[in-house]
Amino acid sequence: MAVERRQRPASCRDRARYAFDRTLARSTGTLLGWLAVCCLAVVVPVSTLLVWTDPQAPRSLSERLVAVWRTSAETLRLGGITGAPLRMLLSVVLGLIALLCVSTLVGVVTTGLGDRLEELRRGRSTVLERGHAVVLGWSDQVFTVVGELVAAQSARSRGVVAVLADRDSTEMAAALHTALGATGGVRIVCRSGSPADPDALALLTPSAADSVLVMPSDDDNADLEVIRVLLALRALLGAQAGPPVVAAVRDERHLTAARLAAGPRGTVLETEATTARLLVQAARNPGLVAALRDLLDLAGAEFHVVDEPEAEGLEFGEIALRYASACPVGLLLPDGRALLTPAARTRCGPGDRLIVVAPDERPERATAPEAHVDAGVMAPADAVPGQPARFLLLGWNSRASLVTDLLSRTVRPGSVLDVVTGPRTAPDASRLVGRPGGGRLTATHRTGELTRPEQAAGLDLFGYDCVIVLGPDAEAVSFGPDDQTLLTLLTLRSCEEEAGRPLPVVAELSDHRSRALAPLGPRSAAVVRAELTALVMARISHAPALASLFEELFASRGGALALRPASRYVLPGREASFATVVAAALGRGECAIGYRAHAPHGTDRPRDVRLAPRKSERRVWSAGDEVLVVAPPDIPVVSPPDDERSSPGGRRTLPGMRGEERVGTDDSPASGPPLD
């Protein structure tokens, strides 16, 4: 049957269609000829029918043919001139010329409008704005960055955030508007093009912008692309001119080159190391992730740099109680360095600016601040030595080495790290765990399936102070990197429910959308990779003076955030103001910036940290309450590797920052605590 069907001769209809299609494919003139024939084949018979059915039509055949000609000519816009055949032919020629001119004009207008609309759709028009924010590149964290920039631009009457990436502009605009929703009058402008192309960069007019942010992509060559973009900005704007530039790289090996490309007005952060530091801080201080996210976004209280000429000559202890709802945490020196948690008797020098945690940039002064301090309810300032910690690391990726290195340099002597990985990453983990940890950390490694409940039950999970969950690198697996992490969290969650006890877990996620899916327990937290860096980039672009603060806050040495028991500062069960907590923290070399109330019985998750409460606020402090403080390292920190950029004293620096120690004058001590 199939052979007979294939050998069946073609029908006349198929042959006619084939001949017609082949004729149309020859040229445009052939197409126009067929179009004319088809029009005549329809118009002439219909015109003839109209004339012959008209009661007032002429009687003679010649006159009726003339009427048919006029009707057909009017329909085809060829003119209705009658007479000699030459006159009728000239009339047809003029009509065809007029039709050709009109058609050409319509085609030109249509093509021009189409090209213009296509150009606008592709985002190739120049952005003629001033004071706008520019975002170069596209990644999963672009939604976080643009959202923070929109919040910062909302104070302007006509705020604009311009985004340039090598993607379709309409798709970018749709994705941003879907993720962010209403932008409160701030326009989001998307342009399509390579951020490393100076011609494409010129579309966003970066020279007139307030800030420029360069986002690393999710590709393997993301850092090299960031460096190319920074060089393109330098070629377009010059080495010294232009707005502040904030960029991020994933690998610390490319940090020096990126900072050289950014120039003196640039600030470059490192994503991988920042994520690892946040994981370590969250492991040592459960509940810190949410508080840190609240500190970095523009909603509620956040870090501000305040010019306070009247504070010159005052001791930091006096300044700390000077404001009603702001919490000073350090000084920003004239050379750009940030000194966190200075001693209470440190005096504010000429040109020093205050670093505070406050709801706005103009903190309210307190009236009679010393009246709110009740020394009778302060806890004794006895130094309580910390205990060695036990950590469990589940999984392995490119950031695991940073996590283990930070733990080995920051934990107390005698601490333990147990690493459990799958068979694929077991050789890398065994090789790294076998390195000496300086006597502080004892690390062991074993191979196992992280998603098998029977193996998880044999790990003595509740004997650890924290469980750190790492997902595989995206390029190492064919599925989503968060899928493995979610399965591991499900296993840990089932162990929690079976034991009826909360388990402190810190999980690393690659996609911010996975946070809503993560089965987190009451003492668990999720750290989205690069989200912290994105928030820091947005804050630095809004306030460039905060760059040295964040470098100090997230570096392996210097000030750090910590959640301390409230009983460390005030007596449990006694009523006291927050000013009393601030004064008690100053006596221990710390700066209290908020607190987290103990969750009532039956509540699954602890309450959020309340940042910068009023000093006069009074409450009864329980033993389960926690105080969020900015504190110097409570233990000596092992020196970093030799290849790490550091200034004298061990503090890592940003471009434009000096690493020298500030020397006190007169009888006042040097500002800030002694460096490690």
Side-chain angles (χ1 to χ4, degrees):
M1 293 292 293
V3 175
E4 293 179 358
R5 185 178 296 113
R6 285 197 300 267
Q7 294 179 352
R8 187 180 60 183
S11 62
C12 295
R13 179 180 179 183
D14 294 337
R15 291 179 179 275
R17 176 174 295 181
Y18 175 71
F20 180 74
D21 294 341
R22 189 176 57 181
T23 304
L24 292 183
R26 289 180 180 175
S27 63
T28 305
T30 305
L31 177 62
L32 293 177
W34 273 108
L35 181 62
V37 170
C38 292
C39 290
L40 292 175
V42 174
V43 171
V44 173
V46 174
S47 300
T48 303
L49 184 61
L50 286 176
V51 172
W52 252 261
T53 57
D54 186 4
Q56 300 180 357
R59 297 297 179 181
S60 64
L61 179 60
S62 59
E63 292 180 348
R64 289 195 173 192
L65 292 178
V66 171
V68 170
W69 157 250
R70 288 179 176 176
T71 304
S72 301
E74 290 176 359
T75 304
L76 297 176
R77 299 295 190 270
L78 299 178
I81 299 177
T82 59
L86 181 60
R87 288 176 53 83
M88 298 176 63
L89 180 60
L90 293 176
S91 174
V92 171
V93 172
L94 289 177
L96 291 176
I97 293 175
L99 181 61
L100 179 62
C101 293
V102 172
S103 301
T104 303
L105 179 61
V106 172
V108 170
V109 173
T110 304
T111 302
L113 288 177
D115 292 344
R116 182 58 177 169
L117 291 176
E118 179 65 19
E119 181 180 357
L120 293 176
R121 190 189 70 84
R122 291 187 292 110
R124 301 300 299 173
S125 60
T126 304
V127 178
L128 299 179
E129 301 286 347
R130 301 192 66 85
H132 56 296
V134 173
V135 178
L136 304 177
W138 188 271
S139 68
D140 288 339
Q141 302 307 322
V142 72
F143 305 102
T144 301
V145 167
V146 175
E148 294 300 310
L149 294 177
V150 166
Q153 290 277 327
S154 60
R156 300 176 178 269
S157 58
R158 297 177 59 186
V160 175
V161 178
V163 181
L164 174 66
D166 200 4
R167 300 167 62 96
D168 186 86
S169 61
T170 56
E171 294 179 0
M172 291 190 292
L176 289 171
H177 285 292
T178 301
L180 303 179
T183 56
V186 178
R187 291 192 300 115
I188 299 178
V189 180
C190 297
R191 293 292 180 264
S192 181
S194 174
D197 182 7
D199 294 335
L201 283 176
L203 296 176
L204 270 59
T205 320
S207 58
D210 269 356
S211 60
V212 178
L213 290 87
V214 183
M215 301 293 299
S217 64
D218 299 325
D219 300 333
D220 296 337
N221 299 325
D223 292 353
L224 301 181
E225 183 67 19
V226 169
I227 294 175
R228 287 178 58 87
V229 173
L230 293 175
L231 291 175
L233 278 171
R234 194 166 185 167
L236 181 65
L237 303 177
Q240 304 293 332
V245 178
V246 185
V249 294
R250 295 170 57 183
D251 196 333
E252 191 175 5
R253 294 176 299 176
H254 301 136
L255 185 61
T256 302
R259 287 178 172 174
L260 290 174
R265 298 181 62 84
T267 301
V268 183
L269 309 176
E270 43 186 331
T271 300
E272 304 289 84
T274 304
T275 303
R277 289 166 186 154
L278 178 57
L279 284 169
V280 171
Q281 290 192 23
R284 299 183 61 192
N285 298 273
L288 189 63
V289 177
L292 189 55
R293 193 181 301 113
D294 293 340
L295 268 174
L296 293 178
D297 61 24
L298 292 175
E302 61 268 353
F303 287 106
H304 295 286
V305 177
V306 179
D307 292 312
E308 190 63 78
E310 298 181 6
E312 183 178 341
L314 297 180
E315 295 182 351
F316 186 77
E318 301 176 70
I319 300 173
L321 299 172
R322 187 180 179 88
Y323 301 98
S325 58
C327 300
V329 297
L331 301 173
L332 186 66
L333 305 185
D335 59 9
R337 289 186 298 139
L339 294 179
L340 300 181
T341 62
R345 300 192 63 181
T346 300
R347 295 188 179 276
C348 182
D352 290 348
R353 305 167 70 187
L354 298 180
I355 303 175
V356 302
V357 176
D360 53 58
E361 300 178 356
R362 294 178 294 275
E364 176 187 355
R365 296 281 185 85
T367 57
E370 294 80 3
H372 301 299
V373 179
D374 187 359
V377 298
M378 290 186 183
D382 296 334
V384 180
Q387 300 296 324
R390 298 185 71 235
F391 300 97
L392 175 62
L393 179 62
L394 300 178
W396 197 263
N397 56 27
S398 59
R399 292 163 297 284
S401 59
L402 297 173
V403 173
T404 56
D405 179 65
L406 287 171
L407 284 174
S408 65
R409 291 193 281 117
T410 57
V411 297
R412 294 189 174 277
S415 298
V416 175
L417 172 65
D418 293 332
V419 180
V420 180
T421 66
R424 179 179 300 179
T425 56
D428 295 336
S430 299
R431 186 165 50 253
L432 188 66
V433 168
R435 296 179 182 177
R440 294 177 177 273
L441 186 68
T442 301
T444 61
H445 172 256
R446 70 175 72 174
T447 304
E449 294 293 337
L450 308 179
T451 58
R452 298 181 62 178
E454 60 272 15
Q455 292 196 9
L459 291 175
D460 187 23
L461 294 174
F462 297 95
Y464 294 98
D465 294 284
C466 185
V467 179
I468 306 174
V469 181
L470 300 180
D473 292 318
E475 58 273 10
V477 292
S478 58
F479 49 85
D482 289 342
D483 295 345
Q484 181 74 31
T485 305
L486 295 177
L487 290 176
T488 304
L489 290 176
L490 279 172
T491 303
L492 297 177
R493 184 60 175 157
S494 65
C495 295
E496 281 185 300
E497 295 178 352
E498 182 178 352
R501 298 169 55 187
L503 182 65
V505 178
V506 177
E508 181 201 31
L509 299 174
S510 297
D511 192 343
H512 68 281
R513 294 170 295 186
S514 300
R515 180 162 34 205
L517 308 178
L520 300 175
R523 296 185 61 189
S524 302
V527 175
V528 180
R529 177 188 173 192
E531 182 184 46
L532 175 64
T533 307
L535 290 172
V536 172
M537 290 176 65
R539 294 292 291 123
I540 293 178
S541 68
H542 182 63
L546 293 175
S548 58
L549 163 67
F550 292 126
E551 178 74 6
E552 190 76 2
L553 195 65
F554 300 118
S556 56
R557 58 182 66 243
L561 290 169
L563 281 168
R564 310 286 197 199
S567 57
R568 178 184 173 95
Y569 310 101
V570 293
L571 298 175
R574 301 288 297 274
E575 182 181 2
S577 64
F578 186 70
T580 305
V581 177
V582 172
L586 283 172
R588 292 161 175 78
E590 302 169 350
C591 297
I593 60 175
Y595 69 90
R596 182 171 66 176
H598 175 64
H601 181 70
T603 303
D604 290 338
R605 300 195 65 84
R607 293 180 176 177
D608 294 334
V609 175
R610 184 175 181 187
L611 297 173
R614 296 188 69 85
K615 299 290 196 310
S616 58
E617 178 181 322
R618 304 183 66 86
R619 63 185 306 273
V620 177
W621 299 87
S622 67
D625 294 341
E626 295 175 297
V627 178
L628 180 63
V629 298
V630 180
D634 53 356
I635 57 175
V637 181
V638 179
S639 299
D642 295 336
D643 58 348
E644 191 169 5
R645 289 169 54 92
S646 59
S647 62
R651 292 179 182 265
R652 307 180 68 246
T653 61
L654 291 173
M657 294 174 57
R658 295 207 308 267
E660 299 88 349
E661 275 295 302
R662 178 185 173 188
V663 181
T665 56
D666 301 329
D667 297 330
S668 62
S671 297
L675 297 177
D676 299 319

